[in-house]
Short mmCIF file of all heavy atoms in Angstrom, two decimals:
data_model
loop_
_atom_site.label_atom_id
_atom_site.label_comp_id
_atom_site.label_asym_id
_atom_site.label_seq_id
_atom_site.Cartn_x
_atom_site.Cartn_y
_atom_site.Cartn_z
N ASN A 18 74.68 95.02 113.01
CA ASN A 18 75.21 93.80 113.69
C ASN A 18 76.06 92.98 112.71
O ASN A 18 75.91 93.11 111.52
CB ASN A 18 74.11 92.90 114.32
CG ASN A 18 73.28 93.68 115.24
OD1 ASN A 18 73.73 94.50 116.11
ND2 ASN A 18 71.96 93.39 115.36
N ASN A 19 76.81 92.04 113.32
CA ASN A 19 77.71 91.20 112.45
C ASN A 19 78.45 91.94 111.35
O ASN A 19 78.37 91.53 110.28
CB ASN A 19 76.76 90.05 111.79
CG ASN A 19 77.63 88.85 111.22
OD1 ASN A 19 78.83 88.76 111.58
ND2 ASN A 19 76.97 88.18 110.30
N LEU A 20 79.05 93.01 111.76
CA LEU A 20 79.79 93.88 110.88
C LEU A 20 80.97 93.11 110.23
O LEU A 20 81.59 92.27 110.67
CB LEU A 20 80.29 95.19 111.44
CG LEU A 20 79.17 96.10 111.74
CD1 LEU A 20 79.61 97.15 112.82
CD2 LEU A 20 78.91 96.87 110.47
N LYS A 21 81.15 93.45 108.84
CA LYS A 21 82.15 92.81 108.05
C LYS A 21 83.15 93.91 107.58
O LYS A 21 82.66 95.15 107.47
CB LYS A 21 81.46 92.16 106.92
CG LYS A 21 80.42 91.11 107.24
CD LYS A 21 79.73 90.59 105.90
CE LYS A 21 78.67 89.53 106.37
NZ LYS A 21 78.11 88.98 105.10
N PRO A 22 84.30 93.49 107.14
CA PRO A 22 85.29 94.55 106.64
C PRO A 22 84.71 95.30 105.49
O PRO A 22 85.01 96.52 105.37
CB PRO A 22 86.52 93.70 106.25
CG PRO A 22 86.38 92.58 107.24
CD PRO A 22 84.97 92.18 107.28
N GLU A 23 83.91 94.74 104.67
CA GLU A 23 83.27 95.37 103.53
C GLU A 23 82.29 96.43 103.95
O GLU A 23 81.84 97.18 102.98
CB GLU A 23 82.78 94.33 102.58
CG GLU A 23 81.82 93.35 103.06
CD GLU A 23 82.47 92.04 103.39
OE1 GLU A 23 83.58 92.02 103.99
OE2 GLU A 23 81.83 90.96 103.12
N ASP A 24 81.87 96.40 105.21
CA ASP A 24 80.95 97.49 105.59
C ASP A 24 81.78 98.86 105.87
O ASP A 24 81.08 99.74 106.25
CB ASP A 24 80.23 97.03 106.87
CG ASP A 24 79.30 95.89 106.61
OD1 ASP A 24 78.66 95.87 105.62
OD2 ASP A 24 79.38 94.92 107.48
N THR A 25 83.06 98.78 105.85
CA THR A 25 83.81 100.06 106.21
C THR A 25 83.50 101.10 105.25
O THR A 25 83.57 100.90 103.92
CB THR A 25 85.40 99.70 106.06
OG1 THR A 25 85.63 98.71 107.14
CG2 THR A 25 86.13 100.86 106.28
N ALA A 26 83.13 102.24 105.59
CA ALA A 26 82.73 103.25 104.79
C ALA A 26 82.39 104.55 105.69
O ALA A 26 82.33 104.43 106.91
CB ALA A 26 81.56 102.95 103.98
N VAL A 27 82.18 105.71 104.93
CA VAL A 27 81.52 106.78 105.63
C VAL A 27 80.03 106.68 105.46
O VAL A 27 79.62 106.40 104.37
CB VAL A 27 81.99 108.19 105.07
CG1 VAL A 27 81.18 109.27 105.62
CG2 VAL A 27 83.58 108.28 105.25
N TYR A 28 79.35 106.73 106.48
CA TYR A 28 77.87 106.47 106.57
C TYR A 28 77.19 107.90 106.64
O TYR A 28 77.58 108.74 107.64
CB TYR A 28 77.43 105.62 107.78
CG TYR A 28 77.71 104.20 107.38
CD1 TYR A 28 78.97 103.69 107.38
CD2 TYR A 28 76.68 103.32 107.14
CE1 TYR A 28 79.32 102.35 107.09
CE2 TYR A 28 77.01 101.88 106.91
CZ TYR A 28 78.23 101.52 106.85
OH TYR A 28 78.50 100.21 106.50
N LEU A 29 76.34 108.09 105.73
CA LEU A 29 75.70 109.47 105.67
C LEU A 29 74.17 109.32 105.80
O LEU A 29 73.56 108.46 105.18
CB LEU A 29 75.97 110.06 104.35
CG LEU A 29 77.42 110.34 103.96
CD1 LEU A 29 77.90 109.33 102.85
CD2 LEU A 29 77.82 111.82 103.69
N CYS A 30 73.70 110.25 106.55
CA CYS A 30 72.18 110.40 106.78
C CYS A 30 71.59 111.29 105.70
O CYS A 30 72.19 112.26 105.26
CB CYS A 30 71.94 110.98 108.13
SG CYS A 30 70.14 111.06 108.51
N ASN A 31 70.42 110.87 105.19
CA ASN A 31 69.70 111.56 104.12
C ASN A 31 68.31 111.70 104.55
O ASN A 31 67.58 110.90 105.09
CB ASN A 31 69.75 110.72 102.81
CG ASN A 31 68.84 111.32 101.78
OD1 ASN A 31 67.85 110.97 101.56
ND2 ASN A 31 69.42 112.37 101.10
N ALA A 32 67.75 113.00 104.24
CA ALA A 32 66.39 113.27 104.30
C ALA A 32 65.85 113.72 103.10
O ALA A 32 66.38 114.67 102.56
CB ALA A 32 66.20 114.38 105.43
N ALA A 33 64.85 113.15 102.66
CA ALA A 33 64.30 113.47 101.22
C ALA A 33 62.80 113.85 101.25
O ALA A 33 62.05 113.30 101.99
CB ALA A 33 64.47 112.34 100.37
N GLN A 34 62.56 114.89 100.67
CA GLN A 34 61.14 115.36 100.36
C GLN A 34 61.07 115.86 99.04
O GLN A 34 62.08 116.02 98.35
CB GLN A 34 60.81 116.45 101.35
CG GLN A 34 61.54 117.69 101.25
CD GLN A 34 61.25 118.73 102.19
OE1 GLN A 34 61.27 118.38 103.56
NE2 GLN A 34 60.80 119.88 101.85
N LEU A 35 59.82 116.01 98.51
CA LEU A 35 59.68 116.32 97.05
C LEU A 35 60.54 117.52 96.67
O LEU A 35 60.38 118.58 97.19
CB LEU A 35 58.16 116.65 96.84
CG LEU A 35 57.82 116.83 95.32
CD1 LEU A 35 58.07 115.57 94.59
CD2 LEU A 35 56.33 117.19 95.19
N GLY A 36 61.51 117.34 95.81
CA GLY A 36 62.21 118.44 95.21
C GLY A 36 63.57 118.69 95.98
O GLY A 36 64.27 119.67 95.60
N SER A 37 63.68 118.00 97.17
CA SER A 37 64.80 118.36 98.07
C SER A 37 65.48 117.15 98.68
O SER A 37 64.75 116.26 99.05
CB SER A 37 64.46 119.43 99.17
OG SER A 37 63.93 120.55 98.69
N ASP A 38 66.80 117.25 98.81
CA ASP A 38 67.58 116.19 99.39
C ASP A 38 68.56 116.90 100.42
O ASP A 38 69.11 117.85 100.09
CB ASP A 38 68.38 115.45 98.36
CG ASP A 38 67.85 114.10 98.00
OD1 ASP A 38 67.43 113.33 99.04
OD2 ASP A 38 67.90 113.63 96.93
N TYR A 39 68.47 116.38 101.66
CA TYR A 39 69.44 116.86 102.70
C TYR A 39 70.35 115.79 103.17
O TYR A 39 69.97 114.56 103.28
CB TYR A 39 68.62 117.57 103.82
CG TYR A 39 67.73 118.48 103.37
CD1 TYR A 39 66.33 118.10 103.18
CD2 TYR A 39 67.99 119.89 103.29
CE1 TYR A 39 65.34 119.13 102.76
CE2 TYR A 39 67.13 120.81 102.90
CZ TYR A 39 65.75 120.43 102.67
OH TYR A 39 64.97 121.43 102.20
N TRP A 40 71.64 116.16 103.42
CA TRP A 40 72.69 115.30 103.83
C TRP A 40 73.36 115.67 105.01
O TRP A 40 73.68 116.84 105.29
CB TRP A 40 73.74 114.98 102.64
CG TRP A 40 73.17 114.48 101.47
CD1 TRP A 40 72.63 115.16 100.40
CD2 TRP A 40 73.02 113.09 101.08
NE1 TRP A 40 72.25 114.19 99.38
CE2 TRP A 40 72.38 112.95 99.85
CE3 TRP A 40 73.31 111.89 101.93
CZ2 TRP A 40 72.22 111.68 99.25
CZ3 TRP A 40 73.07 110.60 101.24
CH2 TRP A 40 72.49 110.53 100.03
N GLY A 41 73.78 114.80 105.87
CA GLY A 41 74.59 115.06 106.96
C GLY A 41 76.11 114.97 106.56
O GLY A 41 76.42 114.69 105.41
N GLN A 42 76.96 115.25 107.48
CA GLN A 42 78.37 115.24 107.17
C GLN A 42 79.04 113.81 107.08
O GLN A 42 80.03 113.58 106.42
CB GLN A 42 79.13 116.01 108.15
CG GLN A 42 78.87 117.54 108.33
CD GLN A 42 79.42 118.30 107.20
OE1 GLN A 42 80.34 117.89 106.52
NE2 GLN A 42 79.06 119.56 107.06
#
């Protein structure tokens, strides 16, 4: 909410578990 121009970016989802990291596109 109340988005600002400085919020402009590619937003990526992350899932983390011990020893592994997964990323969306």
Side-chain angles (χ1 to χ4, degrees):
N18 298 327
N19 189 22
L20 282 159
K21 304 176 181 181
E23 52 264 41
D24 295 319
T25 295
V27 174
Y28 284 71
L29 302 110
C30 180
N31 172 265
Q34 63 183 56
L35 187 62
S37 298
D38 255 319
Y39 303 97
W40 294 92
Q42 296 283 348

